[in-house]
Amino acid sequence: MKLDAQLPFITALLFILSTLFPLFPDIPLPVSEARMVNWIENGQALWLLFGALFTFFWVKPWTLTPGQKAFWLWSVAWWVVLLGRSTSWGRVYFPDEPRLIFRAISVVLIAALVLPVLFSGILRKEIALRFRHEVFPLWTVLLVVITFMFSDAVEHHRLIASLVLYDARDQDLLEELYEIPFMLGLFIIAFGMMQRDKVKEIQPATIR
C-alpha cells in the first residue's frame, strides 16, 4: 500500500472540527437536541445516497476494465449498505412496518457486499491491485478510522467514549457528529481514486 503524507486543507479542517465536537452540546441550539440529531441523520442519509449515485454515474461514461467496473459497482453497494445501516435498513422512516421486512433488506444488502467478493475472481484481483498500487491519502484515512472509532465507541459505550462524551444525554448527538467526518472522508478517498481512474482512461486515448 502506498501512502500520500500530504495534509489536504479539507482533511485538516475536518480534524479541527472533530476535536471540537465534545463542546457542541454546550452550544445553545435554536432547536431541541433531538430535532438536531434528526436533521443530521437525514442529511447523512442524503449524503450516502449522493455517494452511491455519484459513484455510479461518474464511472459510467468511461471505458473501464472489467476489474474496474466490478470494483466501482461494489463501491456503490458499499454506499447503499451504509445508507441502509444509517437508517436502520429503512425502519427510521417506516417504523410501523414488520421488522421482518427490514431484516430481509439488511440480509440482501449485506449479501450484495459479501457474495461478489466470494464468487468474483475479477473483483478480488482488482481489490488486491488497489491495495498494492493505489496511493491512499494517509491523513484522510486516519480521519476516517479515528472518527469511526469515536462514533462506534459513543454508540456502544466503549471505554474511549469517556474521552469525548461528558454527559450520557448527549450520546446521540456526539455519535452523529462523529459520523459526519467519517462519511466525508470516505467520499474524499473514493473521489481521489475515481479521478485517477479517469486520468488513466484519458491518457491512452490521448496517445492514440
Side-chain angles (χ1 to χ4, degrees), residues 26-153:
D26 296 327
I27 300 175
L29 300 174
V31 296
S32 67
E33 190 168 300
R35 176 163 293 187
M36 179 63 68
V37 169
N38 183 254
W39 286 355
I40 295 174
E41 287 177 336
N42 290 334
Q44 290 173 349
L46 289 174
W47 177 254
L48 293 171
L49 178 61
F50 166 77
L53 295 175
F54 183 91
T55 302
F56 180 78
F57 287 108
W58 174 271
V59 301
K60 190 175 180 181
W62 313 112
T63 308
L64 303 177
T65 66
Q68 289 172 324
K69 289 179 181 178
F71 178 81
W72 288 115
L73 288 175
W74 187 60
S75 298
V76 171
W78 266 106
W79 287 112
V80 175
V81 168
L82 289 173
L83 172 61
R85 177 63 185 84
S86 73
T87 60
S88 296
W89 315 109
R91 191 181 300 121
V92 169
Y93 299 114
F94 303 98
D96 298 327
E97 298 299 324
R99 297 176 68 89
L100 181 62
I101 294 177
F102 307 115
R103 179 63 60 86
I105 291 173
S106 69
V107 170
V108 170
L109 292 181
I110 293 173
L113 280 183
V114 176
L115 294 181
V117 177
L118 295 177
F119 295 105
S120 174
I122 293 175
L123 176 59
R124 290 197 302 272
K125 181 179 179 180
E126 183 68 19
I127 293 172
L129 287 172
R130 298 272 175 176
F131 270 105
R132 286 200 297 266
H133 302 294
E134 192 70 56
V135 179
F136 292 93
L138 172 62
W139 291 104
T140 308
V141 171
L142 288 176
L143 172 74
V144 168
V145 172
I146 292 171
T147 52
F148 173 78
M149 288 176 57
F150 277 115
S151 175
D152 180 73

Side-chain angles (χ1 to χ4, degrees), residues 8-24:
F9 173 78
I10 183 63
T11 300
L13 181 61
L14 290 172
F15 261 119
I16 293 171
L17 287 174
S18 298
T19 62
L20 299 177
F21 285 160
L23 305 177
F24 274 44

